[in-house]
Amino acid sequence: MATIRELEQAGISEKRAEEIIKTARSSVSLSFVRADELLKMRETVSRLTTGSKRLDELLGGGLETQTITEFYGEYGSGKSQVAHQLCVNIQLPNERGGLQSGALYIDTENTFRTERIVQMATEMGLDPDEAVKNIIVAEAYTSDHQVFLLDNSDHIVKENNIRLIIV
């Protein structure tokens, strides 16, 4: 969606910029949706508890399905702990804020710790052996590898009732 002027500032000629934009735009699909269809799609959105009442309130009732939620912060601020807790919480029954499903964890910084999952699952009253079976982990070595893993995860998601993907 860049303009010719933006590409020219990057050192690309006007003619080449036009070609690049035309090619890029031809690969993007137009997606117009009627509001009534959007309303039906919103009715299928579920919420997953973070395990924190205050954070759930801040998020309007927990994390929404069918969306991307980004947690960011300084090193050591607890992002990985939240990710681990979500991997456990997704397995909880609906009445406890879970979605009775599994998680796919794309580990980009070698921070996934099975022993932490066991601790959290035990604390939540889940069978720790079953909890670790419901989390599929893949280590991404580069950003290209991360994209490759995600592009090829459809069968893993379907076969393992995955409703949470953590990157």
Side-chain angles (χ1 to χ4, degrees), residues 20-62:
I20 291 170
I21 291 170
K22 183 179 178 182
T23 301
R25 288 183 179 172
S26 70
S27 66
V28 176
S29 64
L30 292 176
S31 57
F32 293 96
V33 179
R34 285 194 340 248
D36 64 324
E37 294 170 343
L38 190 56
L39 180 62
K40 278 186 179 177
M41 290 176 1
R42 291 288 304 160
E43 290 172 354
T44 65
V45 171
S46 300
R47 293 190 179 274
L48 170 64
T49 184
T50 62
S52 163
K53 288 180 183 176
R54 287 201 160 172
L55 186 52
D56 284 352
E57 285 174 15
L58 183 66
L59 295 169

Side-chain angles (χ1 to χ4, degrees), residues 45-112:
V45 171
S46 300
R47 293 190 179 274
L48 170 64
T49 184
T50 62
S52 163
K53 288 180 183 176
R54 287 201 160 172
L55 186 52
D56 284 352
E57 285 174 15
L58 183 66
L59 295 169
L63 297 178
E64 282 190 349
T65 58
Q66 305 175 36
T67 63
I68 296 173
T69 304
E70 180 178 8
F71 288 90
Y72 65 94
E74 294 180 17
Y75 175 81
S77 62
K79 301 176 301 294
S80 294
Q81 294 305 309
V82 170
H84 283 68
Q85 189 67 59
L86 291 171
C87 286
V88 172
N89 292 357
I90 194 78
Q91 300 179 53
L92 293 171
N94 294 41
E95 59 272 8
R96 290 184 56 199
L99 298 174
Q100 296 174 276
S101 54
L104 174 63
Y105 195 112
I106 307 293
D107 192 354
T108 61
E109 296 179 343
N110 195 24
T111 56
F112 184 82

Side-chain angles (χ1 to χ4, degrees), residues 105-110 137-150 167:
Y105 195 112
I106 307 293
D107 192 354
T108 61
E109 296 179 343
N110 195 24
V137 181
E139 189 172 353
Y141 301 108
T142 65
S143 57
D144 286 338
H145 187 220
Q146 175 183 318
V147 170
F148 175 79
L149 289 169
L150 289 167
V167 181

Side-chain angles (χ1 to χ4, degrees), residues 9-20:
Q9 290 174 355
I12 298 171
S13 72
E14 181 179 346
K15 183 176 179 168
R16 181 69 181 130
E18 285 179 22
E19 292 171 5
I20 291 170

